[in-house]
Amino acid sequence: MTEPEPATSASETSRKKSWAHGVAMRGLVALPLVAGLATAGWLLAGGNDPAPVDGRQPVPLPAAKQDPATVGGGAGPSVLEVSAPVKAQETPKGARPLEEWANKLAGPLDIPAKSLMGYANGELALRGEQPNCHLSWVTLAGIGAASSNHGRGGENPLGLSAQQWKKHGASIPGIAKPALTDPDSASVAAGRALCASGADLGGGNGWWKAIAGYQGGKGNEAELFRQRVLGNAQLYATLSLDPARSASPAVKATRFALGQLGLPYVWGGNGPEAGAAGFDCSGLTKASYDEAGVALPRTADSQFRALPQVSGEPKLGDLVFYGNPSTRIHHVGLYLGNGLMINAPTQGQAIQIHTYHSKGDDYTGAGRPAA
């Protein structure tokens, strides 16, 4: 989507740290979260909007009518291909190795060690009960992040329904009195709920359907939950293999961008702290790196020309660009990993996770604001 060239006020450049909380405690935005690839003009070659010359907002592209519940599995292509988080650091067996593992990763992942041990115990329990499900602790961690910020936001850390808890949490080996508030009990119950349909969570389709069935919501609420789970699980998987990166600007920017999932695309928008309901594409990337202490120019084209280009595949936190380098770059997203980006796509849609590169698009490369 074409973006404006807005002047940046002093209040916008001094964004508050409270921005980092994103939309975690806000109401959901009732906007289409997924667009059919055929109508996603911001991503297609030849689909660029003309650059504004008079300061007026361009005519918005028509929003697609695709049902969010059909992502990756409905009729027609989608800009988000079904995906499961990449393989994370292996969960160790044994009480002491598990405790050491959790204590080592708790800080870098920003997950309480007790919750992290619960997610790991959930994976270990389901390895024995349903080995073909291939449940990973990062999936449970993603659910914990999306449901309660790992127990920080309520007494139901994994968002289990009363029916799910009654069916899957009544009897748990090794726990005399299972409790919904206990991360170990809740993680085993959540794992059983995810695996109950016989799904294989090691693949994209099985993982995506299991998360949809777990939350039980409909429409935008369900889609946003799935995207929050996917985004956080992907981040945890990446950081578990390289925890030293957790304090890097790239990770800080990615965490901020994940916190904005569900906010609306706003042409020229610099976010709620700057008085806008949401962001446009480069407003999101700039705000994300502002939060990480890295200053970027305001527009996609100026960001592209200011950053060193990346050779090969992008990495977590890189910016991915669309357009023609010899004329104008019209769109930018923030790379999440595993072929995914965090994206403010176009008018009428919310900030969401998308597949970053598809056949026929005008992807032109990536830039790296910071390591």
Side-chain angles (χ1 to χ4, degrees), residues 80 83-85 138 141-143 145-146 207-208 211 223-239 254-255 257-259 261 316 336-338 340-342 352-354:
L80 176 57
S83 177
V138 294
I143 292 173
W207 189 92
W208 200 253
I211 299 300
E223 177 60 23
L224 182 54
F225 178 80
R226 285 195 289 186
Q227 294 217 357
R228 285 175 171 165
V229 174
L230 174 61
N232 283 287
Q234 179 60 48
L235 177 64
Y236 298 145
T238 301
L239 288 181
T254 302
R255 287 188 184 278
L258 284 171
L261 291 174
L316 179 78
L336 177 61
N338 198 24
L340 304 171
M341 68 172 171
I342 305 166
Q352 58 195 273
I353 296 172
H354 278 155

Side-chain angles (χ1 to χ4, degrees), residues 3-8 51-52 267-268 280 298-302 328:
E3 55 196 358
E5 302 272 353
T8 304
W267 189 83
D280 65 11
R298 176 57 179 82
T299 65
D301 189 76
S302 59
R328 190 172 65 88

Side-chain angles (χ1 to χ4, degrees), residues 81-93:
E81 298 172 2
V82 289
S83 177
V86 295
K87 185 175 177 61
Q89 189 177 109
E90 190 76 9
T91 301
K93 295 182 179 180

